[in-house]
Amino acid sequence: MAGAAALAGAAVPVAAGRAAAAPATAPTAAGTAGAAEGAPFPAVSVRPGDARYPDLVRGTNQRWTARPGSVHLVASTEQVRDAVQRAVDGGKRLTVRGGGHCYEDFVFNDAVETVIDLSEMTAVRYDERRGAFEVQAGATLTDVYERLYKAYGVVVPGGVCYSVGVGGHVSGGGWGMLCRRDGLIVDHLYAVEVVVVDARRQARAVIATREPDDPHRDLWWAHTGGGGGNFGVVTRYWFRSPGATGTTPDTLLPKPPAEVLLSAVSWPWESMTEQAVTRLVRNYGAWHEAHATAGGPYDGLVANLSLNHRSNGQIGLLTQLDATVPDARGLLDAFLRAVSDGVDVPHGALTSAMGEHGPMPEFATPRRLPWLQATRYLGVTNSVLVDPTLRGDQKSAYQRRNIPERQIATMYRHLTRTDFANPNAMVLLSSYGAAVNSVSRTATASVHRDSAFKLLYQTYWNAADDDAANITWLREIYEDVYAGTGGVPVSDENTDGCYVNYPDIDLSDPGRNRSGVPWSTLYYGENYPRLQRVKAAWDPADFFRHGQSIRLPGR
């Protein structure tokens, strides 16, 4: 999907083969999880020929399907552990489906023999013993927001799309519309439960916390941005903010704004010259560069600038601001003036669909909405994510500083091409920084902690016959924009690599990534060697792997 909600997916392949002997420093069984949560129904296995099978072997992106011998719908950690053990014993290649939003084929591909489906593991509740909120890995973002807010008045700062599963979203360092105010969702992660496979080829559940004296703390750290499908099957998360000092549930996580201001405006492509587009993009970038650190009245603002292909008819700007800050409307108006400054085309109503969002003409004048109502509106009122023919491709970049004019010129050229026309092709600029940048690059596995905004290059379409044209266009715009650094956004004074929850297999192809910088550095920077050490400790036989999973040291 466009923007904040997307995730790497809960892809957790298990490879056949015998494990090596356990290293002397292998984790012990201490901290092994118990069986507290219980299961509402026995595990169900669905096989080819079952009427349910076609619905269970595909995700949101219809480019990716599989033909596994079985799909296991599970409802408890014990059922996950048993399913993993059977796959290991039978030498079956295993993957795990959470919300089904993985941008690559890491969950559904031709090699998959067994799929674990977590969609029945949706519980969201307060765990009094741990003093934290427990969320099962199959819960979707809407499940989490509704339960936490209605019952306790709190929130975790996750993504936008209602149907994204937390399993992959959290492990990839999920971000969303509250990120500048409250940081990434992993900044509030207290503990994680993971079904791992040890060197003796035994599956077991382990709980790892952020407590300094937890011997399994590195396993917790790896799930604060290390991506899905690398170390085991996540079954549960627990959330509590690091600075929380209260003793009641309503004091342990951030409270969302009681109200937000929502604004949606557009500029007509037919009137936008290259100079006007350049000024608009530079204004957006300059504002975010100036507000990249936390502590100002704009910490509660997030804005998405949609540079749609010219065939869409409009360029759009969607903005949400915490309406409880003093003079919120004045702040929002000042932001809109700053972004529009020097653009000789007035903005008007947003009347075209953009990415997963439909037209929003009623927000041409900013409107106040209760936070949950606004969150539902942005997350649910779209048709893209329930389109049974949806196909797509995506790429990403983090932006430390403003986009150079030469790169904007390249974007403009590809967005106005006449040999390719797709209203759903776009470059999306999304707010970042502020609270996100208040955490050090190594405190979590999410290394991108000094960027001002983020870019998502994406295109959606509906017919397999259009695959080549859309994939080619996306590769060409991306590689041309970053031609000076080998076709990818390497870490330098302007850019800082890619977002692991928008996985891009082209980063592994030296024909497409000509920078000499590996995909692992683009995703993880200096954190990758530590992630490899966690991999060696908790998945020594590399059971859990996919096209861009963490490699064992030396590989």
Short mmCIF file of all heavy atoms in Angstrom, two decimals, residues 223-253:
data_model
loop_
_atom_site.label_atom_id
_atom_site.label_comp_id
_atom_site.label_asym_id
_atom_site.label_seq_id
_atom_site.Cartn_x
_atom_site.Cartn_y
_atom_site.Cartn_z
N HIS A 223 13.87 -7.74 16.86
CA HIS A 223 12.50 -7.56 16.41
C HIS A 223 12.04 -6.10 16.49
O HIS A 223 10.86 -5.82 16.31
CB HIS A 223 11.55 -8.47 17.19
CG HIS A 223 11.67 -9.91 16.79
ND1 HIS A 223 12.62 -10.76 17.34
CD2 HIS A 223 11.00 -10.64 15.86
CE1 HIS A 223 12.51 -11.95 16.77
NE2 HIS A 223 11.54 -11.91 15.87
N THR A 224 12.98 -5.19 16.72
CA THR A 224 12.65 -3.77 16.70
C THR A 224 13.09 -3.13 15.39
O THR A 224 13.52 -1.99 15.36
CB THR A 224 13.32 -3.04 17.89
OG1 THR A 224 14.75 -3.14 17.77
CG2 THR A 224 12.87 -3.60 19.22
N GLY A 225 12.97 -3.88 14.30
CA GLY A 225 13.32 -3.36 12.99
C GLY A 225 14.12 -4.32 12.14
O GLY A 225 14.54 -3.97 11.03
N GLY A 226 14.34 -5.53 12.64
CA GLY A 226 15.11 -6.52 11.88
C GLY A 226 14.34 -7.17 10.77
O GLY A 226 14.92 -7.91 9.96
N GLY A 227 13.03 -6.93 10.68
CA GLY A 227 12.23 -7.47 9.59
C GLY A 227 11.65 -8.84 9.89
O GLY A 227 12.13 -9.57 10.76
N GLY A 228 10.60 -9.18 9.15
CA GLY A 228 9.93 -10.46 9.33
C GLY A 228 10.66 -11.60 8.66
O GLY A 228 11.38 -11.42 7.68
N GLY A 229 10.47 -12.81 9.21
CA GLY A 229 10.98 -14.00 8.55
C GLY A 229 12.43 -14.30 8.77
O GLY A 229 13.04 -14.99 7.95
N ASN A 230 13.02 -13.83 9.86
CA ASN A 230 14.46 -13.97 10.04
C ASN A 230 14.89 -14.87 11.18
O ASN A 230 15.92 -15.53 11.08
CB ASN A 230 15.07 -12.58 10.28
CG ASN A 230 15.06 -11.72 9.04
OD1 ASN A 230 15.53 -12.15 8.00
ND2 ASN A 230 14.54 -10.52 9.16
N PHE A 231 14.15 -14.90 12.27
CA PHE A 231 14.62 -15.56 13.48
C PHE A 231 13.67 -16.63 14.00
O PHE A 231 14.07 -17.48 14.78
CB PHE A 231 14.85 -14.51 14.58
CG PHE A 231 15.65 -13.34 14.11
CD1 PHE A 231 15.03 -12.14 13.79
CD2 PHE A 231 17.03 -13.44 13.95
CE1 PHE A 231 15.76 -11.06 13.33
CE2 PHE A 231 17.77 -12.36 13.49
CZ PHE A 231 17.13 -11.16 13.17
N GLY A 232 12.42 -16.57 13.61
CA GLY A 232 11.41 -17.49 14.09
C GLY A 232 10.03 -16.95 13.77
O GLY A 232 9.90 -15.97 13.02
N VAL A 233 9.01 -17.55 14.34
CA VAL A 233 7.64 -17.12 14.13
C VAL A 233 7.19 -16.29 15.33
O VAL A 233 7.08 -16.80 16.44
CB VAL A 233 6.68 -18.32 13.96
CG1 VAL A 233 5.27 -17.82 13.64
CG2 VAL A 233 7.18 -19.26 12.88
N VAL A 234 6.94 -15.02 15.13
CA VAL A 234 6.42 -14.17 16.19
C VAL A 234 4.98 -14.57 16.48
O VAL A 234 4.16 -14.67 15.57
CB VAL A 234 6.48 -12.68 15.80
CG1 VAL A 234 5.81 -11.82 16.88
CG2 VAL A 234 7.91 -12.23 15.58
N THR A 235 4.68 -14.80 17.75
CA THR A 235 3.31 -15.15 18.15
C THR A 235 2.65 -14.07 18.98
O THR A 235 1.43 -13.90 18.92
CB THR A 235 3.30 -16.47 18.94
OG1 THR A 235 4.29 -16.40 19.98
CG2 THR A 235 3.61 -17.64 18.02
N ARG A 236 3.44 -13.34 19.79
CA ARG A 236 2.87 -12.27 20.61
C ARG A 236 3.88 -11.15 20.79
O ARG A 236 5.09 -11.38 20.84
CB ARG A 236 2.47 -12.80 22.00
CG ARG A 236 1.28 -13.74 22.01
CD ARG A 236 0.85 -14.09 23.42
NE ARG A 236 1.74 -15.06 24.04
CZ ARG A 236 1.58 -15.55 25.27
NH1 ARG A 236 0.58 -15.11 26.02
NH2 ARG A 236 2.41 -16.44 25.77
N TYR A 237 3.34 -9.93 20.89
CA TYR A 237 4.11 -8.77 21.30
C TYR A 237 3.52 -8.21 22.59
O TYR A 237 2.32 -8.37 22.84
CB TYR A 237 4.04 -7.66 20.24
CG TYR A 237 4.73 -7.94 18.93
CD1 TYR A 237 3.99 -8.16 17.77
CD2 TYR A 237 6.12 -7.96 18.83
CE1 TYR A 237 4.62 -8.40 16.55
CE2 TYR A 237 6.76 -8.18 17.62
CZ TYR A 237 6.00 -8.40 16.48
OH TYR A 237 6.63 -8.62 15.27
N TRP A 238 4.35 -7.52 23.36
CA TRP A 238 3.88 -6.74 24.51
C TRP A 238 4.39 -5.31 24.36
O TRP A 238 5.55 -5.10 24.00
CB TRP A 238 4.40 -7.31 25.83
CG TRP A 238 3.73 -8.56 26.28
CD1 TRP A 238 2.68 -8.68 27.15
CD2 TRP A 238 4.06 -9.91 25.90
NE1 TRP A 238 2.34 -9.99 27.33
CE2 TRP A 238 3.17 -10.77 26.58
CE3 TRP A 238 5.02 -10.46 25.05
CZ2 TRP A 238 3.22 -12.16 26.43
CZ3 TRP A 238 5.07 -11.83 24.90
CH2 TRP A 238 4.17 -12.66 25.59
N PHE A 239 3.51 -4.34 24.65
CA PHE A 239 3.86 -2.94 24.49
C PHE A 239 3.75 -2.18 25.81
O PHE A 239 2.76 -2.30 26.52
CB PHE A 239 2.95 -2.28 23.45
CG PHE A 239 3.13 -2.83 22.06
CD1 PHE A 239 2.29 -3.84 21.58
CD2 PHE A 239 4.14 -2.35 21.24
CE1 PHE A 239 2.47 -4.35 20.32
CE2 PHE A 239 4.32 -2.87 19.97
CZ PHE A 239 3.49 -3.87 19.50
N ARG A 240 4.78 -1.41 26.11
CA ARG A 240 4.78 -0.46 27.21
C ARG A 240 5.88 0.54 26.91
O ARG A 240 7.02 0.17 26.60
CB ARG A 240 5.06 -1.15 28.55
CG ARG A 240 4.97 -0.20 29.74
CD ARG A 240 5.14 -0.91 31.07
NE ARG A 240 6.52 -1.30 31.32
CZ ARG A 240 6.89 -2.49 31.77
NH1 ARG A 240 5.98 -3.44 31.96
NH2 ARG A 240 8.16 -2.77 31.99
N SER A 241 5.56 1.82 26.98
CA SER A 241 6.54 2.85 26.66
C SER A 241 7.70 2.82 27.65
O SER A 241 7.49 2.61 28.86
CB SER A 241 5.89 4.23 26.67
OG SER A 241 4.87 4.31 25.70
N PRO A 242 8.92 3.04 27.18
CA PRO A 242 10.08 2.97 28.07
C PRO A 242 10.01 3.94 29.24
O PRO A 242 10.45 3.62 30.34
CB PRO A 242 11.26 3.31 27.15
CG PRO A 242 10.78 2.96 25.79
CD PRO A 242 9.31 3.24 25.77
N GLY A 243 9.44 5.12 29.02
CA GLY A 243 9.39 6.10 30.10
C GLY A 243 8.16 6.03 30.97
O GLY A 243 7.97 6.89 31.84
N ALA A 244 7.32 5.04 30.75
CA ALA A 244 6.07 4.94 31.51
C ALA A 244 6.36 4.65 32.98
O ALA A 244 7.10 3.73 33.31
CB ALA A 244 5.18 3.85 30.93
N THR A 245 5.77 5.45 33.87
CA THR A 245 6.00 5.28 35.30
C THR A 245 4.72 4.99 36.08
O THR A 245 4.77 4.77 37.28
CB THR A 245 6.66 6.55 35.89
OG1 THR A 245 5.80 7.67 35.63
CG2 THR A 245 8.03 6.79 35.28
N GLY A 246 3.58 5.01 35.37
CA GLY A 246 2.32 4.78 36.05
C GLY A 246 2.11 3.33 36.42
O GLY A 246 2.89 2.44 36.05
N THR A 247 1.05 3.09 37.16
CA THR A 247 0.74 1.74 37.62
C THR A 247 -0.59 1.23 37.08
O THR A 247 -1.00 0.11 37.37
CB THR A 247 0.70 1.69 39.15
OG1 THR A 247 -0.28 2.64 39.62
CG2 THR A 247 2.06 2.03 39.74
N THR A 248 -1.27 2.04 36.28
CA THR A 248 -2.54 1.63 35.68
C THR A 248 -2.38 1.58 34.16
O THR A 248 -1.54 2.29 33.59
CB THR A 248 -3.66 2.61 36.05
OG1 THR A 248 -3.31 3.93 35.62
CG2 THR A 248 -3.90 2.60 37.55
N PRO A 249 -3.16 0.74 33.46
CA PRO A 249 -2.98 0.57 32.02
C PRO A 249 -3.02 1.86 31.21
O PRO A 249 -2.28 2.01 30.24
CB PRO A 249 -4.14 -0.36 31.64
CG PRO A 249 -4.46 -1.11 32.88
CD PRO A 249 -4.20 -0.16 34.00
N ASP A 250 -3.85 2.81 31.62
CA ASP A 250 -4.01 4.04 30.84
C ASP A 250 -2.80 4.96 30.93
O ASP A 250 -2.75 5.99 30.25
CB ASP A 250 -5.27 4.79 31.28
CG ASP A 250 -5.20 5.24 32.73
OD1 ASP A 250 -4.79 4.43 33.58
OD2 ASP A 250 -5.57 6.39 33.00
N THR A 251 -1.78 4.59 31.71
CA THR A 251 -0.58 5.41 31.83
C THR A 251 0.64 4.79 31.16
O THR A 251 1.73 5.35 31.24
CB THR A 251 -0.25 5.64 33.31
OG1 THR A 251 0.05 4.38 33.94
CG2 THR A 251 -1.40 6.32 34.04
N LEU A 252 0.47 3.66 30.50
CA LEU A 252 1.63 2.88 30.04
C LEU A 252 1.97 3.08 28.57
O LEU A 252 3.04 2.65 28.13
CB LEU A 252 1.38 1.40 30.32
CG LEU A 252 1.15 1.05 31.79
CD1 LEU A 252 0.90 -0.44 31.95
CD2 LEU A 252 2.31 1.51 32.66
N LEU A 253 1.09 3.71 27.81
CA LEU A 253 1.34 4.00 26.40
C LEU A 253 0.87 5.42 26.11
O LEU A 253 0.10 6.00 26.89
CB LEU A 253 0.60 3.00 25.50
CG LEU A 253 1.15 1.59 25.39
CD1 LEU A 253 0.18 0.69 24.61
CD2 LEU A 253 2.53 1.59 24.71
#
